[in-house]
Amino acid sequence: MIRSPDPVEFARRPRPWFRERSRATASSFQESEAGVTRGQVPAKLECEPISTVRRPHEWKNLVCPTLVGHLLALAEQTGVLELRDRMFAGEHINVTEDRAVLHTALRRPATDSLTVDGQDAIADVHEVLEKVYAFARRVRSGEWVGITGKPVKTVVNVGIGGSDLGPVMAYEALKPYVQEGLECRFISNIDPTDAGETTKDLDPETTLVIVASKTFTTLETITNAKVVRAWLLDGLRERGIVTDEASEKEAIAKHFVAVSTALDKVAEFGIDPANAFGFWSWVGGRYSVDSAVGTSLAVAIGPEGFADFLAGFNAMDRHFLEAAPEKNVPLLMGLLNVWYSNFLGADTHAVLPYSQYLHRFPAYLQQLTMESNGKSVRRDGSPVTYETGEVFWGEPGTNGQHAFYQLIHQGTRMVPADFIAFANPTWALGDGDADMHELFLSNFFAQTKALAFGKTSEEVRAEGTPEAIVSARVFTGNRPTTSIMAPALTPSVLGQLIALYEHITFVEGAVWGIDSFDQWGVELGKVLAKQILPAIEGSSEALDAQDQSTRALIEYYRTNRTK
Ligand code: F6P
């Protein structure tokens, strides 16, 4: 049984090194000669106070070699790397669900093999991948046609949580790689607005729906799938295309496919199991974008693009497995997060991509990190005695600069932040002679510099600032950031980036001794929603069974709803 030491107790030990504000060097991504992108690691760690260094560094963190040594010792003490090896080997490290945790198998080459629960997981993965790729080719080439013989123009992915956030984030991030004339849309929310707005201008004859649900029981997804099925059939009926049961069946077969681990339920829904792509219980929803859940993305960017995406994940997996601890980026970044949250009291962690294409990345990370590490008991069921799971949040720069950066620069809370940027833009636009990407990136470089070095009262006074407002214009600096850069936002780089955060999340969960792969905390609300529905629909008995506050809210709804 692996147990974490109590970080609070650990934090009380004398730490003369704590006051040393230090810097570490590069964490960046670079293309290798083979074209595979690899995560590069901090080459060295130095212990110079950042407020006097006065030159840009890629890691501007409150660390020094002694501290890193302590954090690596903490990782050793808590068995992080043993747990990593057990995860990659397919052991059942998801203890509360008694499951293997094998998203890393989704991106291993076909030449590998790994037997899990008596099955060759890698062979299974590649069998499904080939099926997804064949489907993607047929849609992209126009060979897959709808009931009236027209090729697909719009792919609508219906799913929620991990069956939505990964595909939509990656689709948005890789827009420049999307085949011209093809568009993906995503319906997730059970708010009818989502299905209504998404389908309102679509042509059912050229729409293909992917129903993505690991369990195929999720209320939101099944409801949305039924609503979209009705929309599609009604549209085809109005045009006289669907006229009877046989043409209805044909329309569903040509316009609906599914992604699920529950292929029996897919058939019950009316989708031909031949048009279903499977995955396995050992792929958690929030770790599934690189499984068949990414089918919409595979259609959009093509099998070659998707293969690059998977190669990026695999490159980061290998780095996490093979790099020495003191050079292991996910290990170090995960430990830094533990340092900031458990030892320095940071409650939140900002992720700030300087790339509009990554505008859904923080939302994606919210599920990855918070559904994984929002836990209060250890793997053996005992309560933790320290904080777990920071609140992840963020927005793309520079928009965030004009919204919430004030708090990060001058607020009382420490908000460690990851800045992400790319050397090359997709849109090489200019404002006269000025390269717009350089105007953009000057902000990226400036922000981490300002956060690290701040501005002293002497500097503020030297600008002739009236004494009464000097303190309001001082920046303390020493606000930690990690900058991640890559040559460009390619499918491979995106794969690396996602895998990096998967492994950071893993490291933190391992130090805390929790099960990062279950999600029991989302169950109670689902059960209560089912119980409350009759009260909303008009049952007085169900209404009376509610607590006073919930009853008052439902009464307000019933009074104000016009049907
Ligand atoms: O309710 C949470 C959750 O189980 C997530 O973990 C998951 O990604 C999401 O719901 C969707 O689940 P499914 O893919 O089974 O529809």
Side-chain angles (χ1 to χ4, degrees):
M1 186 63 56
I2 295 163
R3 272 176 170 257
S4 295
D6 188 336
V8 175
E9 189 273 323
F10 186 78
R12 282 198 197 106
R13 293 180 201 163
R15 299 186 312 276
W17 35 266
F18 170 60
R19 295 202 179 281
E20 291 173 294
R21 290 163 183 155
S22 57
R23 71 184 177 88
T25 58
S27 164
S28 63
F29 295 105
Q30 285 176 0
E31 298 286 337
S32 77
E33 278 168 26
V36 178
T37 320
R38 287 173 180 281
Q40 291 233 319
V41 296
K44 56 181 177 161
L45 297 161
E46 293 173 11
C47 219
E48 294 174 58
I50 56 175
S51 53
T52 60
V53 172
R54 297 280 171 184
R55 54 193 154 94
H57 308 293
E58 285 131 309
W59 279 39
K60 299 183 176 79
N61 278 295
L62 300 175
V63 291
C64 65
T66 320
L67 170 66
V68 172
H70 280 276
L71 292 175
L72 289 172
L74 179 65
E76 209 179 313
Q77 225 177 319
T78 51
V80 174
L81 297 185
E82 283 84 355
L83 193 68
R84 172 200 66 184
D85 294 344
R86 291 176 56 207
M87 172 174 75
F88 275 81
E91 285 187 36
H92 286 208
I93 66 161
N94 175 352
V95 286
T96 71
E97 295 180 305
D98 191 17
R99 284 179 184 166
V101 174
L102 262 184
H103 42 279
T104 53
L106 297 168
R107 49 262 194 159
R108 283 175 62 174
T111 44
D112 282 7
S113 82
L114 176 69
T115 304
V116 180
D117 304 331
Q119 265 303 106
D120 184 345
I122 310 292
D124 289 351
V125 163
H126 282 272
E127 194 184 318
V128 173
L129 256 185
E130 285 313 318
K131 200 173 159 190
V132 169
Y133 288 168
F135 169 72
R137 283 193 192 99
R138 288 182 67 197
V139 175
R140 290 165 65 84
S141 67
E143 184 195 329
W144 180 292
V145 290
I147 189 164
T148 53
K150 292 186 182 166
V152 175
K153 283 193 185 151
T154 314
V155 174
V156 176
N157 186 85
V158 178
I160 197 165
S163 300
D164 167 72
L165 286 162
V168 71
M169 177 277 288
Y171 173 76
E172 291 293 320
L174 299 175
K175 275 254 173 82
Y177 295 83
V178 174
Q179 175 168 296
E180 230 183 293
L182 259 182
E183 186 202 3
C184 291
R185 295 190 186 183
F186 299 85
I187 300 176
S188 55
N189 203 331
I190 198 166
D191 178 346
T193 311
D194 205 5
E197 285 290 336
T198 307
T199 54
K200 72 179 181 196
D201 58 344
L202 288 184
D203 178 355
E205 290 180 53
T206 56
T207 299
L208 178 76
V209 182
I210 301 177
V211 185
S213 174
K214 180 175 169 179
T215 55
F216 230 74
T217 56
T218 305
L219 181 71
E220 290 89 336
T221 301
I222 301 308
T223 307
N224 274 322
K226 286 188 200 151
V227 165
V228 175
R229 184 177 59 187
W231 162 82
L232 189 120
L233 293 176
D234 286 349
L236 296 175
R237 255 185 227 113
E238 272 166 28
R239 299 177 194 185
I241 299 161
V242 162
T243 51
D244 54 11
E245 214 175 290
S247 50
E248 195 170 281
K249 237 178 146 189
E250 190 192 345
I252 293 174
K254 293 197 164 155
H255 293 267
F256 277 80
V257 301
V259 174
S260 187
T261 56
L263 298 181
D264 49 334
K265 296 202 173 70
V266 169
E268 268 168 44
F269 184 87
I271 297 175
D272 184 350
N275 294 336
F277 308 102
F279 60 114
W280 308 270
S281 66
W282 40 258
V283 183
R286 52 195 176 273
Y287 298 89
S288 68
V289 63
D290 46 341
S291 71
V293 167
T295 296
S296 53
L297 181 70
V299 171
I301 66 170
E304 291 71 26
F306 200 80
D308 273 359
F309 182 54
L310 297 183
F313 277 92
N314 184 251
M316 183 55 75
D317 292 345
R318 281 186 284 113
H319 168 79
F320 184 42
L321 262 180
E322 292 160 14
E326 64 282 5
K327 295 182 171 185
N328 196 310
V329 174
L331 178 65
L332 292 172
M333 286 182 73
L335 291 171
L336 274 178
N337 289 358
V338 169
W339 165 239
Y340 292 129
S341 62
N342 293 107
F343 297 85
L344 302 188
D347 288 322
T348 83
H349 191 104
V351 178
L352 308 166
Y354 277 64
S355 165
Q356 192 59 31
Y357 285 123
L358 284 178
H359 70 111
R360 293 296 288 160
F361 193 57
Y364 170 78
L365 289 184
Q366 283 177 346
Q367 188 198 13
L368 175 64
T369 60
M370 290 158 75
E371 202 172 70
S372 295
N373 286 340
K375 312 286 164 66
S376 308
V377 295
R378 298 188 183 100
R379 285 197 293 278
D380 65 359
S382 61
V384 297
T385 52
Y386 38 82
E387 303 292 349
T388 65
E390 318 95 297
V391 175
F392 271 75
W393 61 285
E395 276 289 317
T398 61
N399 295 6
Q401 288 174 209
H402 299 274
F404 52 78
Y405 275 38
Q406 168 65 37
L407 186 147
I408 304 181
H409 279 289
Q410 284 191 314
T412 54
R413 297 168 198 277
M414 175 194 279
V415 183
D418 299 343
F419 282 68
I420 302 169
F422 304 98
N424 293 289
T426 303
W427 294 89
L429 303 179
D431 174 18
D433 284 344
D435 178 328
M436 204 166 163
H437 191 61
E438 288 177 359
L439 293 174
F440 180 40
L441 284 201
S442 62
N443 284 277
F444 166 82
F445 296 120
Q447 289 298 324
T448 59
K449 186 171 179 176
L451 287 163
F453 304 115
K455 194 171 181 182
T456 63
S457 49
E458 292 73 41
E459 286 167 326
V460 175
R461 277 192 196 98
E463 289 171 349
T465 307
E467 195 55 35
I469 58 166
V470 165
S471 61
R473 297 187 57 187
V474 166
F475 290 67
T476 58
N478 291 322
R479 293 172 186 253
T481 63
T482 297
S483 296
I484 299 169
M485 291 195 78
L489 181 54
T490 61
S492 164
V493 165
L494 183 65
Q496 290 176 69
L497 207 49
I498 298 171
L500 170 65
Y501 280 92
E502 285 177 350
H503 298 323
I504 290 170
T505 304
F506 170 87
V507 168
E508 295 188 65
V511 170
W512 291 324
I514 57 177
D515 186 339
S516 297
F517 302 101
D518 61 13
Q519 58 282 318
W520 298 106
V522 296
E523 295 305 322
L524 180 60
K526 289 187 194 173
V527 172
L528 291 184
K530 279 193 184 141
Q531 285 172 9
I532 285 173
L533 186 60
I536 301 171
E537 287 172 338
S539 156
S540 325
E541 203 187 333
L543 187 65
D544 290 345
Q546 305 304 322
D547 63 277
Q548 198 190 343
S549 163
T550 309
R551 198 162 54 234
L553 286 167
I554 295 171
E555 277 165 353
Y556 175 88
Y557 166 78
R558 277 167 50 167
T559 311
N560 286 281
R561 173 72 198 264
T562 46
K563 273 203 187 181

